[in-house]
């Protein structure tokens, strides 16, 4: 009973934290983009204002839409994005539902906000939204391959090193993969880092992978028929998903906490770890979303598939081979 | 409909060309450049009328565009504001006697803000957006009473 209460309180707290953090992150992202384009840019709290305005506006349900699906999908997207966070540790805070899930579960959960978006797009009964939903499906299929390769390569290496329960999130957090591998493995991990940096904008459908939403050709794509509260909920779910996917990347490839190095404990350790974690998320977002989105133009959908499957998939295969050779040498010695 | 002050700081604009010569449209693009940077005040150009708060119309309304203009206007969620940019949208301008013209914009849909000029300067367009914000504030004030 006590555990259930703890989980409920943790979920509510986490939801508020993730929404606020995600919206501030997107505010920072817009600000940095503006500075890179020699503009002043919107205030940091602009996304809050946008969402507040959208929640006050009228929500139109188009005549062609399927109302039940059209209205539930924004809620499903937000709820599933928050659910991912229940399995992820923040700084040195243990995950709320840590003992029930592992990396494979998170891989599946990460697809659900996109699936909700796709169903919502198909349910809105607009040709633009239908094309957008089809493109979102294709790009989902495309980015899943490098993401899965990265996860499997890291977890397999931990397993070979004799670490118990390699699929558990806590194991990944406590045994940074960088300290397990040899020199060849370090090269492989750098390749995986590059792959993850390219998976992130695809997962969030940001430029150059925003062809599902393509403002200029599809007039907003999947979201074309959404207005008011529903659009605001989708914006919130995007913000939460931004936190979730970058936390996942951090756990896989940048899992260090400062408190372990300096041997501090108690509340100070919690605070430093949380700050370092926030800085890591900010760094990941800046490098793999903001800079990429400012410097590049949109890819065609064929180019997205080509990039993810051929280029990044090929890099992933190389990284896996390097990892195997590394594991072979490490076990020999 | 409850209006909040967030409308003043987050105005999303949908641009609709109802038969303009493209002069005003170029000026609208110019007013979005880093020199003026309306995103500082939360003003953003969106791709879908469903997301928009302001419908920005340029040009006189040709016979072909009457139906489209009315449909776009109906597709926007409340509360919404219509802003016309340019002399042609206001009165027909040099095209006013043309055979294929249905008339200026305010004969088709109700207009809140007029920005005159052929073509208006970006400063004038931004002034128009500020007037639109003032209109939202007035709506807000009347909603409170």
């Amino acid at each position: 009973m006590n555990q259930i209460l703890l989980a409920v309180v943790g979920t509510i707290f986490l939801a508020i934290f993730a929404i606020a953090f995600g919206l501030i992150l997107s505010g920072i992202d817009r600000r940095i983009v503006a500075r890179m384009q020699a503009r002043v840019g919107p205030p940091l709290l602009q996304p809050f204002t946008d969402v507040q305005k959208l929640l006050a506006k009228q929500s139109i349900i188009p005549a062609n839409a399927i109302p039940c699906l059209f209205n539930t999908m924004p809620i499903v997207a937000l709820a599933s994005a928050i659910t991912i966070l229940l399995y992820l540790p923040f700084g040195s805070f243990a995950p709320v539902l840590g003992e029930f899930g592992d990396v494979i579960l998170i891989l599946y959960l990460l697809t659900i906000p996109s699936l909700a978006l796709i169903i919502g797009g198909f349910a809105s009964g607009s040709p633009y939204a239908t094309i957008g939903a089809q493109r979102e499906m294709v790009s989902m299929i495309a980015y899943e391959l490098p993401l899965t390769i990265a996860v499997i390569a890291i977890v397999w290496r931990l397993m070979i090193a004799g670490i118990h329960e390699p699929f558990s999130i806590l194991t990944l957090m406590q045994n940074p993969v960088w300290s397990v591998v040899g020199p060849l493995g370090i090269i492989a991990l750098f390749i995986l880092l590059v792959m993850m940096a390219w998976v992130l904008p695809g997962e969030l459908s940001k430029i150059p992978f925003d062809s599902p939403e393509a403002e200029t050709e599809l007039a907003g794509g999947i979201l074309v028929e959404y207005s008011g509260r529903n659009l605001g909920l989708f914006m919130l779910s995007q913000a939460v998903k931004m936190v979730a996917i970058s936390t996942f990347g951090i756990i896989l490839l940048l899992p260090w906490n400062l408190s372990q190095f300096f041997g501090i404990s108690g509340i100070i350790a919690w605070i430093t770890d949380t700050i370092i974690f926030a800085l890591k998320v900010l760094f990941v977002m800046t490098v793999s979303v903001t800079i990429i989105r400012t410097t590049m133009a949109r890819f065609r959908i064929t180019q997205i598939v080509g990039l993810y499957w051929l280029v990044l998939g090929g890099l992933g295969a190389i990284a896996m081979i390097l990892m195997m050779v590394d594991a072979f040498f490490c076990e020999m010695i | 409909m409850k209006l909040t002050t967030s409308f003043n700081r987050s105005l999303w604009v949908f641009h609709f060309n109802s038969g303009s010569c493209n002069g005003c449209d170029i000026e609208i693009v110019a007013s979005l450049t880093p020199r003026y940077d309306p995103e500082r005040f939360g003003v953003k150009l969106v791709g879908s009328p469903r997301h928009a708060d302001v419908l920005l119309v340029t040009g006189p309304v040709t016979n072909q565009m009457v139906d489209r203009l009315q449909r776009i206007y109906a597709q926007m969620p409340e509360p919404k504001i219509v802003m016309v940019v340019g002399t042609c949208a206001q009165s027909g301008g040099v095209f006013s006697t043309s055979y294929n013209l249905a008339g200026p914009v305010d004969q088709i849909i109700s207009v809140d803000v007029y920005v005159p000029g052929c073509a208006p300067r970006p400063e004038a367009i931004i002034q128009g957006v500020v007037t639109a914000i003032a209109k939202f504030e007035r709506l807000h004030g009347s909603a409170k009473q």
Side-chain angles (χ1 to χ4, degrees):
Chain A
M1 187 61 206
N2 206 6
Q3 211 175 6
I4 295 171
L5 194 73
L6 202 70
V8 170
V9 172
T11 310
I12 293 168
F13 177 76
L14 205 60
I16 295 168
F17 164 76
I19 287 171
F21 189 44
L23 287 180
I24 288 177
L25 270 184
S26 49
I28 294 173
D29 167 59
R30 280 172 73 174
R31 188 99 176 160
I32 295 175
V33 168
R35 284 293 157 86
M36 286 176 80
Q37 293 171 343
R39 293 188 286 129
V40 177
L44 275 187
L45 298 181
Q46 185 63 42
F48 287 91
T49 321
D50 289 347
V51 169
Q52 198 190 352
K53 181 204 72 177
L54 285 174
L55 293 182
K57 280 201 78 141
Q58 181 195 9
S59 289
I60 296 179
I61 301 163
N64 291 341
I66 307 165
C68 56
L69 285 177
F70 187 79
N71 283 327
T72 36
M73 280 312 136
I75 301 167
V76 171
L78 182 58
S80 57
I82 291 171
T83 312
I84 304 169
L85 294 175
L86 298 181
Y87 297 97
L88 297 173
F90 288 89
S92 54
F93 288 103
V96 178
L97 295 177
E99 61 265 44
F100 301 113
D102 57 8
V103 183
I104 303 291
L105 178 71
I106 288 172
L107 277 183
Y108 277 104
L109 280 177
L110 274 175
T111 60
I112 294 182
S114 308
L115 278 178
L117 207 59
I118 290 168
I119 297 171
F122 279 127
S124 46
S126 153
Y128 292 116
T130 308
I131 294 175
Q134 287 166 355
R135 287 189 184 177
E136 173 77 30
M137 278 200 294
V138 172
S139 68
M140 247 174 85
I141 295 167
Y143 68 66
E144 285 292 312
L145 179 74
L147 182 63
T148 318
I149 287 179
V151 170
I152 287 176
I154 290 167
V155 171
W156 180 81
R157 187 65 188 84
L158 285 178
M159 193 182 77
I160 291 297
I163 287 164
H164 188 56
E165 281 194 26
F167 278 99
S168 154
I169 298 282
L170 285 177
T171 315
L172 282 172
M173 201 65 189
Q174 281 152 6
N175 306 291
V177 68
W178 297 82
S179 55
V180 172
V181 296
L184 275 176
I186 296 281
I187 300 172
L189 284 178
F190 271 114
I191 297 175
L192 294 181
L193 208 59
V194 171
M195 276 167 59
M196 281 301 282
W198 282 94
V199 167
L200 233 72
E203 183 93 46
L204 297 167
S205 357
K206 297 275 183 184
I207 300 171
F209 304 106
D210 71 330
S211 61
E213 277 165 35
E215 289 264 299
T216 39
E217 57 198 87
L218 291 184
I222 291 188
L223 296 172
V224 72
E225 295 290 341
Y226 276 100
S227 58
R229 186 177 54 88
N230 289 336
L231 184 63
L233 285 178
F234 267 131
M235 271 184 71
L236 289 182
S237 80
Q238 283 288 321
V240 174
K241 200 179 163 192
M242 201 146 127
V243 177
I245 179 76
S246 44
T247 309
F248 186 53
I250 284 170
I251 288 165
L252 279 181
L253 284 162
L254 308 163
W256 303 284
N257 277 332
L258 270 192
S259 57
Q260 288 167 356
F261 285 110
F262 295 117
I264 37 180
S265 59
I267 294 175
I268 304 169
W270 279 11
I271 295 170
T272 43
D273 281 349
T274 312
I275 292 171
I276 290 297
F277 166 76
L279 287 179
K280 277 193 291 191
V281 172
L282 188 62
F283 171 75
V284 167
M285 289 306 303
T286 313
V287 170
S288 76
V289 173
T290 313
I291 293 179
I292 291 180
R293 124 181 145 97
T294 323
T295 47
M296 298 193 74
R298 182 183 309 129
F299 284 137
R300 269 183 284 120
I301 191 73
T302 50
Q303 290 170 324
I304 291 180
V305 177
L307 177 75
Y308 277 132
W309 279 10
L310 300 179
V311 180
L312 292 181
L315 274 177
I318 293 171
M320 258 178 154
I321 291 167
L322 282 174
M323 212 61 126
M324 281 152 94
V325 175
D326 178 64
F328 179 68
F329 279 121
C330 280
E331 297 313 306
M332 290 268 285
I333 299 159
Chain B
M1 180 57 60
K2 203 176 112 251
L3 275 173
T4 57
T5 48
S6 51
F7 278 88
N8 309 339
R9 286 173 288 128
S10 161
L11 217 56
W12 291 2
V13 181
F14 178 74
H15 173 211
F16 180 75
N17 181 339
S18 64
S20 165
C21 69
N22 238 3
C24 298
D25 307 349
I26 288 170
E27 292 303 313
I28 286 164
V29 173
S31 63
L32 291 171
T33 50
R35 186 177 179 89
Y36 301 100
D37 187 24
E39 207 193 352
R40 277 179 297 167
F41 311 112
V43 177
K44 197 168 92 165
L45 211 60
V46 291
S48 161
R50 297 264 193 233
H51 304 177
D53 308 302
V54 175
L55 176 62
L56 199 158
V57 189
T58 52
V61 185
T62 59
N63 285 328
Q64 290 286 319
M65 288 309 249
V66 174
D67 180 40
R68 277 85 187 170
L69 182 59
Q70 282 165 344
R71 264 163 55 193
I72 292 277
Y73 181 71
Q75 279 172 356
M76 285 173 62
E78 294 284 345
K80 54 191 168 190
I81 273 185
V82 179
M83 176 176 157
V84 299
V85 168
T87 306
C88 301
Q90 211 172 336
S91 64
V94 289
F95 306 110
S96 57
T97 52
S98 178
Y99 65 95
N100 60 351
L101 214 63
V105 176
D106 53 7
Q107 286 181 12
I108 317 293
I109 55 175
S110 60
V111 174
D112 300 289
V113 181
Y114 295 92
V115 180
C118 182
R121 288 186 61 84
E123 289 93 336
I125 296 171
I126 291 167
Q127 165 78 39
V129 173
V130 171
T131 317
I133 290 175
K135 169 103 186 184
F136 266 123
E137 274 171 357
R138 259 205 319 287
L139 286 175
H140 179 50
S142 65
K144 261 198 294 195
Q145 282 164 11

